[in-house]
Amino acid sequence: MQGIPIDDQSQFFVDDHLVDNRWGVEYLTEAVTRVFHAPTKHPANPVIAGKGGFLSVAREDGRFRMWYQDYWDQSMEPRKYTYGVAYAESEDGLDWHLPTIGRHEFKGTKDNNIVLLGQQGGWAASPYMLDVPEEYRRGYKYLLLYLSDEPESMRLIGSHDGIDWDPQSDTCIATGFDPDTHSSIVWDPRTERFAWFTRATNLYRNRGARRKVARLEHDSLWDEWPLLSENILLPDQVDGADLHHYFYGMPTRYYAGVYWGFLWPYQHQEDIYTALAWSRDGKNFQRPADRPRLIDIGAEGEWDGGMVWASNWLEVGAEWWIYYAATSGPHKALDPGPGIGLARLRKEGFASLRSPAGGGFVVTKTLRSPGGRLLVNADATKGELRVRLTDYGREPLPGFASQPIAGDGVRQEVYWDGGDASVPAGRPLRLEFEMKGVVDLYSFCFL
């Protein structure tokens, strides 16, 4: 029995991929259950009022930086509109400054914060900042994926400072391709290939047919991508129960061996909210059975009461900060009223295994760990957590029964009763978590 190899990245309990068994002490009436957690909207929302669209956010040397889609209705008769990429920055992530950049004319003036209007100065939409290895960056600190309508294409462009985007780098990677959503490209270090999550508009143009989640794959980033899209996630009867028959998009991030999708279920011409999806291989995505909303729309009449789009997160201390674009009105509104908000979540806190009041147990499958110190992300303030290491037959490994953990923290070190021993690397073993009282177990890692 070789066991499942794991590395020093965080290991999640969002599914039972690593779980062999879980049960409650009072097993006839109680069970260890999986709980999905929604981030909390910040009371200062909207952090940017009257502006916003699809966005990307970074944090560097304590400063927050944001690139978001701005919109301009140039004419109603005939109908003509365009998009640009705007820039904002903040010292604390709450009080945002929209600096005057003065580079591009937009809405009839250069007195604005626009940093990109595309290769012909007229259209740049759906900006998504890429996180790819250095060898694919062509020397640029920032790489932006964006949609152009002149001509219709998906493009990459680089910048050294995030303000001046180098027109010499502006490269078409998909000619004639208009996915009309917030697309994302991620690098998978296991396959050493790029995965692009978007819409299959090369195959489907009808609105009902195209509003699904599609995937493309390529071993190169800057070359023209083969448009061999395949739909990987379709709405089902649970989505249809409240008329969300479509998916508007699913910006996706690869983190700790898991693809995390921010899915946008869409009720035609009405609301959009953000939900969670995840995949171990980037192709087969799972969702919670009862479909809780990750970031829901606000109450009717609120600044985010119409549509909500989240795309990624930032790690800030022990939290994940999720910035999201929103509107006060529905999709069909001519001027839905944009804004940008912040929601905060415990680091790696999308889901936990929760014990009942009577306590419970979680036993992993046989693993082959990198060894070293064991850390857990858990909230044991209403109970107590202990860990022991066992072999395949669940026989304890001498010296590896832990002292109790009774605190709340995202990186709590496990101390063994046998002393300051290091978990052996490569040896097949199980982790057995004993939970007394109510404990939330989110993830674990080796260091």
Side-chain angles (χ1 to χ4, degrees), residues 313-424:
W313 70 80
L314 285 180
E315 187 169 314
V316 182
E319 294 182 327
W320 280 353
W321 287 21
I322 303 172
Y323 289 93
Y324 62 96
T327 64
S328 58
H331 191 268
K332 63 187 176 185
L334 184 60
D335 183 12
I340 295 172
L342 168 63
R344 297 179 298 180
L345 180 72
R346 177 194 193 95
K347 178 180 177 178
E348 300 174 357
F350 288 129
S352 66
L353 291 179
R354 177 177 293 173
S355 57
F361 294 86
V362 175
V363 179
T364 71
K365 298 173 183 176
T366 307
L367 310 175
R368 281 189 290 116
S369 83
R373 297 155 51 203
L374 175 63
L375 296 91
V376 295
N377 182 347
D379 181 358
T381 53
K382 297 180 181 179
E384 180 181 286
L385 175 66
R386 292 178 183 264
V387 190
R388 71 172 185 166
L389 303 186
T390 63
D391 62 14
Y392 166 76
R394 300 192 60 221
E395 291 298 320
L397 302 186
F400 288 100
S402 82
Q403 298 174 19
I405 295 172
D408 180 9
V410 299
R411 290 292 183 270
Q412 300 184 77
E413 184 166 358
V414 175
Y415 294 99
W416 307 108
D417 282 339
D420 188 19
S422 179
V423 176

Side-chain angles (χ1 to χ4, degrees), residues 2 46 78 81 103 191 204 273-274 304 364 386 401 416:
Q2 293 299 310
Y81 57 90
R103 301 283 201 281
T191 62
Y204 306 104
Y273 63 87
T274 299
D304 60 353
T364 71
R386 292 178 183 264
W416 307 108

Side-chain angles (χ1 to χ4, degrees), residues 69-80:
Q69 176 181 288
D70 203 350
Y71 175 77
W72 179 17
D73 245 327
Q74 297 162 293
S75 168
M76 299 304 298
E77 293 291 343
R79 185 73 190 278
K80 182 181 179 182

Side-chain angles (χ1 to χ4, degrees), residues 76-115:
M76 299 304 298
E77 293 291 343
R79 185 73 190 278
K80 182 181 179 182
Y81 57 90
T82 192
Y83 299 92
V85 178
Y87 173 77
E89 56 188 32
S90 171
E91 294 299 321
D92 61 3
L94 298 174
D95 183 16
W96 287 85
H97 171 58
L98 279 56
T100 298
I101 305 296
R103 301 283 201 281
H104 306 279
E105 185 170 333
F106 196 71
K107 300 183 181 179
T109 179
K110 287 188 177 182
D111 185 16
N112 58 52
N113 61 331
I114 299 295
V115 294

Side-chain angles (χ1 to χ4, degrees), residues 177-227:
F177 186 50
D178 177 11
D180 188 28
T181 190
H182 205 195
S183 298
S184 57
I185 294 177
V186 300
W187 167 255
D188 188 333
R190 297 169 303 184
T191 62
E192 296 187 338
R193 293 177 67 85
F194 295 97
W196 184 350
F197 296 91
T198 185
R199 288 179 180 170
T201 52
N202 60 309
L203 300 175
Y204 306 104
R205 303 299 297 180
N206 174 274
R207 290 182 179 182
R210 79 187 187 205
R211 284 174 172 151
K212 313 296 187 293
V213 177
R215 182 184 190 273
L216 297 90
E217 187 173 318
H218 198 23
D219 57 6
S220 178
L221 179 61
W222 292 86
D223 295 334
E224 186 90 10
W225 282 53
L227 290 181

